[in-house]
Amino acid sequence: MARAAIFFLLFLATNASLALLYPFTLSRLLLTFSIYSVGTLLTLYLLFHPRNQWLVANRFRVDGVNTIALTFDDGPDPVDTPKLLDLLRDKGVKATFFVVGKRADQHPEIVRRACAEGHLIANHTWSHRLLFCFLTPARLRSEIERGAESVRRICGFRPHLFRSPVGMRHPLLRPYLNNAGSEYVSWTIRSRDTLTRNSGVLAQRILNRAASGDIILLHDHLPRGAHVMLEALPRVIDELRERGFQFVLAGPREDAAAATLEPAASQTTR
Ligand SMILES: [Zn+2]
């Protein structure tokens, strides 16, 4: 909680520095600009940098030699996630799905299928609020808890891994994740599949950067569809395999009972 308090003080001091503008002089303007810029940059760094550990400890690599973890955020999507699951099954690749609880509740059969096929299901909050860093404490707790509960209802176990919307931190995230028994997982490669319209460019961007231990951020639900990612992925998987990489989950599966899930679940979304 001490770090949360320091963060709030930084935020308040940065904005309070604007009072230095009055009475206005050029030297005061330069002083205010300097303080405000440094404070704002530091605030943004603490809130947004994917590998920053200060507000909440987070894991951004996987263990092992020549390992790569594919992670898919924002699903399940009724159209693209089943296609992705087909692709991963055909390639024999296991991946980690950071699901949005609200969407998981709407399409539980897809999440159940992913779980039954050996993928890892993780918590990406209940409703994916884009202003995550401004949530009230009660709302923050609810976003974490309801997201976790959704996965528990569908898969039969509480997810251990958590990732916030856009990887954004919240000053109270550390104590709340500790209470929930969850671990924050970030990434080393942001594929920018949310912006890229060309599958060749997307594949090449990932292949240019991929190294052992990387966690790659991708999305199986996008407003305009995830077809670019789905077109790029086979080449990414094949070329990384040729280089000797193996695909691993972003963490251990919580349940030992996954194999006992109804096999019929894997047929429901075809
Ligand atoms: Zn997201």
Side-chain angles (χ1 to χ4, degrees), residues 73-74 124 128 165-166 219:
D73 285 14
D74 296 4
H124 196 39
H128 204 271
V166 206
H219 295 82

